[in-house]
Short mmCIF file of all heavy atoms in Angstrom, two decimals:
data_model
loop_
_atom_site.label_atom_id
_atom_site.label_comp_id
_atom_site.label_asym_id
_atom_site.label_seq_id
_atom_site.Cartn_x
_atom_site.Cartn_y
_atom_site.Cartn_z
N GLU A 98 -8.72 33.96 -26.48
CA GLU A 98 -7.67 34.67 -25.73
C GLU A 98 -6.30 34.44 -26.38
O GLU A 98 -5.51 35.37 -26.50
CB GLU A 98 -7.65 34.22 -24.28
CG GLU A 98 -8.85 34.70 -23.48
CD GLU A 98 -8.97 34.05 -22.12
OE1 GLU A 98 -8.17 33.14 -21.80
OE2 GLU A 98 -9.88 34.44 -21.38
N LYS A 99 -6.05 33.22 -26.80
CA LYS A 99 -4.79 32.89 -27.46
C LYS A 99 -4.66 33.66 -28.77
O LYS A 99 -3.63 34.29 -29.05
CB LYS A 99 -4.70 31.39 -27.72
CG LYS A 99 -3.47 30.93 -28.47
CD LYS A 99 -3.52 29.43 -28.69
CE LYS A 99 -2.45 28.93 -29.60
NZ LYS A 99 -2.69 29.23 -31.01
N GLU A 100 -5.71 33.63 -29.58
CA GLU A 100 -5.69 34.33 -30.87
C GLU A 100 -5.53 35.83 -30.70
O GLU A 100 -4.81 36.48 -31.47
CB GLU A 100 -6.96 34.01 -31.66
CG GLU A 100 -7.00 32.57 -32.15
CD GLU A 100 -8.35 32.16 -32.73
OE1 GLU A 100 -9.35 32.90 -32.54
OE2 GLU A 100 -8.40 31.09 -33.35
N LYS A 101 -6.19 36.39 -29.68
CA LYS A 101 -6.08 37.83 -29.42
C LYS A 101 -4.64 38.21 -29.07
O LYS A 101 -4.11 39.21 -29.59
CB LYS A 101 -7.03 38.21 -28.27
CG LYS A 101 -7.03 39.67 -27.92
CD LYS A 101 -8.00 39.93 -26.78
CE LYS A 101 -7.90 41.37 -26.30
NZ LYS A 101 -8.77 41.61 -25.15
N ALA A 102 -3.99 37.43 -28.22
CA ALA A 102 -2.60 37.71 -27.84
C ALA A 102 -1.66 37.54 -29.03
O ALA A 102 -0.73 38.34 -29.23
CB ALA A 102 -2.18 36.82 -26.68
N GLU A 103 -1.89 36.51 -29.83
CA GLU A 103 -1.05 36.29 -31.02
C GLU A 103 -1.22 37.43 -32.02
O GLU A 103 -0.23 37.90 -32.60
CB GLU A 103 -1.40 34.95 -31.67
CG GLU A 103 -0.94 33.75 -30.87
CD GLU A 103 -1.45 32.44 -31.41
OE1 GLU A 103 -2.49 32.41 -32.12
OE2 GLU A 103 -0.82 31.41 -31.11
N GLU A 104 -2.43 37.88 -32.21
CA GLU A 104 -2.72 39.00 -33.11
C GLU A 104 -2.00 40.26 -32.63
O GLU A 104 -1.38 40.99 -33.41
CB GLU A 104 -4.23 39.23 -33.19
CG GLU A 104 -4.65 40.46 -33.97
CD GLU A 104 -4.38 40.36 -35.46
OE1 GLU A 104 -4.27 39.23 -35.98
OE2 GLU A 104 -4.26 41.42 -36.10
N TRP A 105 -2.08 40.52 -31.33
CA TRP A 105 -1.43 41.70 -30.76
C TRP A 105 0.08 41.64 -30.99
O TRP A 105 0.69 42.64 -31.36
CB TRP A 105 -1.74 41.79 -29.26
CG TRP A 105 -1.17 43.00 -28.61
CD1 TRP A 105 -1.71 44.25 -28.56
CD2 TRP A 105 0.08 43.07 -27.93
NE1 TRP A 105 -0.88 45.10 -27.89
CE2 TRP A 105 0.24 44.41 -27.49
CE3 TRP A 105 1.08 42.17 -27.65
CZ2 TRP A 105 1.35 44.84 -26.78
CZ3 TRP A 105 2.19 42.59 -26.95
CH2 TRP A 105 2.32 43.92 -26.52
N LEU A 106 0.68 40.47 -30.79
CA LEU A 106 2.12 40.32 -31.00
C LEU A 106 2.53 40.46 -32.46
O LEU A 106 3.66 40.86 -32.76
CB LEU A 106 2.60 38.96 -30.48
CG LEU A 106 2.77 38.81 -28.99
CD1 LEU A 106 3.08 37.36 -28.63
CD2 LEU A 106 3.88 39.72 -28.46
N SER A 107 1.63 40.14 -33.38
CA SER A 107 1.98 40.15 -34.80
C SER A 107 2.03 41.55 -35.41
O SER A 107 2.56 41.73 -36.50
CB SER A 107 0.99 39.27 -35.59
OG SER A 107 -0.28 39.89 -35.62
N HIS A 108 1.47 42.55 -34.74
CA HIS A 108 1.50 43.91 -35.27
C HIS A 108 2.92 44.46 -35.27
O HIS A 108 3.69 44.22 -34.35
CB HIS A 108 0.59 44.85 -34.46
CG HIS A 108 -0.86 44.54 -34.63
ND1 HIS A 108 -1.50 44.62 -35.85
CD2 HIS A 108 -1.80 44.15 -33.76
CE1 HIS A 108 -2.76 44.30 -35.71
NE2 HIS A 108 -2.98 43.99 -34.43
N ASP A 109 3.24 45.20 -36.32
CA ASP A 109 4.58 45.77 -36.47
C ASP A 109 4.72 47.09 -35.73
O ASP A 109 5.10 48.10 -36.30
CB ASP A 109 4.92 45.98 -37.95
CG ASP A 109 5.12 44.68 -38.68
OD1 ASP A 109 5.49 43.70 -38.03
OD2 ASP A 109 4.92 44.66 -39.90
#
Side-chain angles (χ1 to χ4, degrees):
E98 289 169 355
K99 177 181 171 285
E100 290 170 347
K101 181 180 174 184
E103 289 172 337
E104 174 68 23
W105 183 84
L106 282 173
S107 70
H108 291 299
D109 290 334

